[in-house]
């Protein structure tokens, strides 16, 4: 097997001799690329943002910004990375460094004071600068009435691209000014041109240091055989959970097995009776590829962490943690989704409602992987996802509620409600569903069902919220749904 290598700012380098758990952040800084900063080491601040060449949604390659503090560098064997230093010189290779257009705008519009957060902002901004469909939505003459707003610039820039970047001193207005001022990449921009070629293919990796190993196989079958041989292995996809375990809780694994590039886990198929979503597609890829086809998922994604996290996070990882406060389970429960589990002997399909068995426990056996999530069609027409958290974006849920209702001629024919944050596992609100089904969709029904919903689960007191608050929010959530579906639009 070829020694693990990574291309950073156009230069290929060996990954050895660092330990297998070494993050991309530490690897880069160790090599003098200190533009990439550590602010939190847990995916919260974006100071470590770098660009990775990934399979594109609208072009062969997308430049995708990720949190370098969470990703093991061994996971980028054979891949291409660009840091803030690479942006500065990428515009004119071979000539003295000139600022990249996003750096130029940040400089001239006062988007940087102490500068600690700036390289991370610049990388997230560059990813949005190169998003192929950004300019399709650009209208330099547009005003608020033309579809631009505080979060979307006239240049098509979606400010949510920066939702994972924090700045302690500049204030966000000048940063927004810079984001909304960038133009379109020129024809000779090397990173724009790079999008037209295929991204680096995933490579099989066996990276060993100090008796610890990071492994990536080419196929699902090889991976499943390996997991049978190594039941102690830790499976890693986007590493947005595992990276926090490594950095903050000092977890180390003798054997890490990467599944994020397995083709069998990265397909998205829309069929007549179901949609199958590969467990290793990132949330950003699912969001862009489904493009609103599943409105409940479309409502979930913007509320799930930040763009930086969604660029790595997968559904397999969200279900794999078994966390009771993961945001996808309530939505997938309301959608009556099932999970396709694969091991070396074959596959089985388990309804998500039967998947969780206890706090961070599931029916998934050692050696089994989540291959895909299946969402049955047709979808219920009335859906909503209410995430109650302290911040609007980039926060963990105190309570999450997802609704999927069939309402025909004013009567609730079918109700599916998924809850997070109110029990040891994500749960269906079965009593509330029964209180709705067969009843008229009226204020009286909503109020009666809201009382039932307040009593679902066994909410706890913790640092995020009290049990009373959580119960109250459940009831409010149903009343809000009723208001959302019945409120007259003012003329
Ligand atoms: C700053 C920050 C904000 C976050 N915000 C949110 C949020 O708003 N909502 C939310 O729900 N979560 C949030 N998370 C948690 C995390 O991003 C999600 O759980 C994410 O979906 C994990 O996906 P991943 O691919 O990165 O998982 P990884 O970290 O790679 O893996 C997580 C776990 O799942 C297992 N696993 C991964 N893939 C598979 C598979 N295919 N089969 C079986 N097991 C598998 C791994 O073994 C591991 O135990 C946040 C995390 C951070 C750091
Ligand atoms: S250092 Fe804060 S997100 Fe990586
Ligand atoms: S410029 Fe100081 S933290 Fe952003």
């Amino acid at each position: 097997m070829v020694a693990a290598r990574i291309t950073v700012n156009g230069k290929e380098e060996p990954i050895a001799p660092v330990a297998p758990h070494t993050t991309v952040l530490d690897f880069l800084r160790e090599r003098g690329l200190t533009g990439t900063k550590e602010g939190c080491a847990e995916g919260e601040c974006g100071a470590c943002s770098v660009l990775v060449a990934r399979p594109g949604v609208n072009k062969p390659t997308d430049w995708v910004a990720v949190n370098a503090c969470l990703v093991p560098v061994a996971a980028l064997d054979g891949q291409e990375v660009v840091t803030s230093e690479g942006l500065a010189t990428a515009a004119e290779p071979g000539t003295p460094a000139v600022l990249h257009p996003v750096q130029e705008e940040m400089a001239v519009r006062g988007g940087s004071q102490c500068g600690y957060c700036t390289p991370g902002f610049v990388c997230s901004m560059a990813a949005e600068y190169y998003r192929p469909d950004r300019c399709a939505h650009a209208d330099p003459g547009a005003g608020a009435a033309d579809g631009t707003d505080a979060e979307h610039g006239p240049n098509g820039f979606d400010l949510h691209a920066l939702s994972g970047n924090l700045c302690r001193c500049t204030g966000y207005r000048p940063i927004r000014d810079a984001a909304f001022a960038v133009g379109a990449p020129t024809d000779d921009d090397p990173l724009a041109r790079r999008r037209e070629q295929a991204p680096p293919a995933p490579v099989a990796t066996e990276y060993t240091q100090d008796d610890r190993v990071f492994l990536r196989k080419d196929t699902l079958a090889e991976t499943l055989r390996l997991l049978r041989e190594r039941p102690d292995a830790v499976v890693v996809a986007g590493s947005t959970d595992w990276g926090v375990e490594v950095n903050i809780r000092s977890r180390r694994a003798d054997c890490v097995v990467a599944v994020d590039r397995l083709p069998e886990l990265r397909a998205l198929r829309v069929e007549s009776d179901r949609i199958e979503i590969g467990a290793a597609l990132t949330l950003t890829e699912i969001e862009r590829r489904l493009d609103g086809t599943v409105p409940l998922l479309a409502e979930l994604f913007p509320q799930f962490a930040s763009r930086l996290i969604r660029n790595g996070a997968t559904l397999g990882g969200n279900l794999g943690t078994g966390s009771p406060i993961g945001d996808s389970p309530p939505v997938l429960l309301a959608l009556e989704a099932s999970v396709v589990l694969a091991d070396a002997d074959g596959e089985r399909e388990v309804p998500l409602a039967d998947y969780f068995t206890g706090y961070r426990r599931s029916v998934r056996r050692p050696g089994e992987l989540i291959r895909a999530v299946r969402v049955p069609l047709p979808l219920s027409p009335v859906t909503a996802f209410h995430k109650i958290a302290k911040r609007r974006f980039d926060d963990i849920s105190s309570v999450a509620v997802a609704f999927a209702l069939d309402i025909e001629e004013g009567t609730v024919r079918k109700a599916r409600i998924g809850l997070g944050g109110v029990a040891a596992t994500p749960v269906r609100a079965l009593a509330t569903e029964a209180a709705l089904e067969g009843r008229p969709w009226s204020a009286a029904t909503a109020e009666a069902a809201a009382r039932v919903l307040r009593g679902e689960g066994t909410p706890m007191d913790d640092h995020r919220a009290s049990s009373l608050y959580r119960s109250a929010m459940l009831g409010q959530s149903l009343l809000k749904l009723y208001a959302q579906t019945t409120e007259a639009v003012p003329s």
Side-chain angles (χ1 to χ4, degrees):
M1 192 163 298
V2 183
R5 303 182 78 75
I6 182 172
T7 300
V8 181
N9 299 333
K11 189 168 154 246
E12 198 183 69
E13 305 196 26
I15 286 176
V18 300
H21 70 267
T22 304
T23 61
V24 174
L25 169 66
D26 287 344
F27 175 85
L28 293 171
R29 291 184 61 80
E30 202 49 44
R31 270 152 188 74
L33 293 168
T34 50
T36 314
K37 303 282 190 246
E38 178 175 308
C40 65
E42 54 179 329
E44 301 271 1
C45 75
C48 63
S49 169
V50 296
L51 297 158
V52 182
R54 288 296 193 205
V57 177
N58 298 312
K59 284 197 182 279
T61 292
D62 276 347
W63 286 109
V64 172
V66 298
N67 300 97
C69 67
L70 297 179
V71 181
V73 66
L76 295 189
D77 179 16
Q79 304 300 303
E80 286 173 42
V81 171
V82 172
T83 68
S84 56
E85 294 90 344
L87 283 177
T89 52
E92 297 283 342
T95 60
V98 288
L99 291 183
H100 184 276
V102 300
Q103 294 170 319
E104 177 71 23
E105 292 298 344
M106 281 287 270
V108 299
R109 286 170 202 277
S112 179
Q113 282 188 21
C114 80
Y116 198 84
C117 69
T118 309
F121 263 101
V122 154
C123 285
S124 295
M125 217 179 259
E128 178 65 5
Y129 176 75
Y130 289 115
R131 177 166 62 86
D133 49 350
R134 173 181 68 88
C135 292
H137 300 132
D139 178 0
D146 304 301
T148 66
D149 55 36
E151 291 163 359
H152 299 88
N155 57 355
F157 195 102
D158 177 1
L159 216 51
H160 292 265
L162 309 182
S163 60
N165 294 82
L166 301 182
C167 175
R168 293 296 296 274
C169 53
T170 299
Y172 293 102
R173 207 225 56 228
I175 295 173
R176 189 184 69 177
D177 291 348
F180 286 0
V182 294
T186 55
D187 291 342
D188 60 349
D189 180 320
L191 294 183
R193 283 209 312 266
R194 174 67 187 83
R195 298 176 304 178
E196 308 301 334
Q197 273 96 50
V203 294
T205 301
E206 184 172 336
Y207 180 76
T208 310
Q209 288 289 326
D210 305 329
D211 295 331
R212 294 203 160 118
V213 63
F214 183 100
L215 291 161
R216 180 190 298 286
K217 297 287 185 185
D218 287 323
T219 66
L220 177 61
E222 288 173 273
T223 307
L224 294 173
R225 276 199 297 277
L226 169 65
L227 291 177
R228 173 159 289 178
E229 287 159 18
R230 296 284 315 240
D232 61 320
V234 169
V235 167
V236 168
S239 200
T240 62
D241 274 312
W242 175 244
V244 176
E245 293 292 315
V246 169
N247 293 347
I248 306 298
R249 299 192 187 90
S250 301
R251 293 259 321 264
R252 299 289 179 265
D254 288 341
C255 176
V256 170
V257 175
V259 299
D260 56 313
R261 314 313 305 163
L262 287 175
E264 298 90 339
L265 271 64
R266 289 186 39 79
L268 192 150
R269 289 189 200 93
V270 182
E271 293 163 11
S272 59
D273 59 346
R274 70 177 185 214
I275 299 176
E276 185 176 291
I277 305 169
L281 286 167
T282 67
L283 301 187
T284 296
E285 287 173 312
I286 302 168
E287 180 180 13
R288 294 197 170 145
R289 288 175 61 179
L290 283 179
D291 195 20
T293 316
V294 182
L296 196 48
L297 285 175
E299 207 176 334
L300 160 71
F301 293 131
Q303 299 182 66
F304 191 118
S306 62
R307 174 62 70 201
L308 277 174
I309 292 288
R310 296 199 295 280
N311 284 344
T314 64
L315 282 186
N318 205 228
L319 299 175
T321 64
S323 165
I325 50 168
D327 282 330
S328 75
V331 166
L332 295 173
L333 284 169
L335 291 170
E336 297 185 282
S338 58
V339 178
V340 181
L341 298 171
D343 70 8
D345 293 328
E347 285 193 357
R348 60 185 177 129
E349 186 172 346
V350 178
L352 189 62
D354 301 334
Y355 175 79
F356 299 104
T357 53
Y359 180 70
R360 290 191 181 271
R361 290 205 315 273
S362 72
V363 299
R364 191 162 59 85
R365 302 177 193 128
E368 241 177 355
L369 276 183
I370 304 169
R371 185 184 62 74
V373 169
R374 286 183 181 151
V375 175
L377 296 175
L379 301 168
S380 293
V382 177
T383 57
F385 176 62
H386 297 161
K387 171 168 173 169
I388 291 101
K390 289 186 177 164
R391 290 196 305 251
R392 191 170 152 226
F393 297 114
D394 202 6
D395 203 358
I396 304 289
S397 296
S398 300
V399 180
V401 189
F403 298 98
L405 269 53
D406 285 351
I407 302 172
E408 281 167 28
E409 295 169 357
T411 299
V412 183
R413 299 286 174 212
K414 181 172 149 190
R416 293 291 177 268
I417 305 173
L419 306 179
V422 295
T425 65
V427 288
R428 280 256 306 272
L430 295 172
T432 313
E433 292 174 6
L436 287 168
E437 285 180 349
R439 298 218 160 66
W441 185 231
S442 64
T445 302
E447 275 159 26
R451 281 196 290 279
V452 179
L453 189 48
R454 274 185 210 111
E456 299 265 18
T458 49
M460 297 185 346
D461 292 318
D462 68 11
H463 63 285
R464 286 202 185 86
S466 68
S467 57
L468 274 177
Y469 177 78
R470 287 190 158 102
S471 294
M473 286 303 104
L474 291 180
Q476 279 311 110
S477 186
L478 185 48
L479 298 178
K480 177 176 171 181
L481 174 72
Y482 181 71
Q484 284 174 329
T485 57
T486 53
E487 234 167 37
V489 181
S491 54

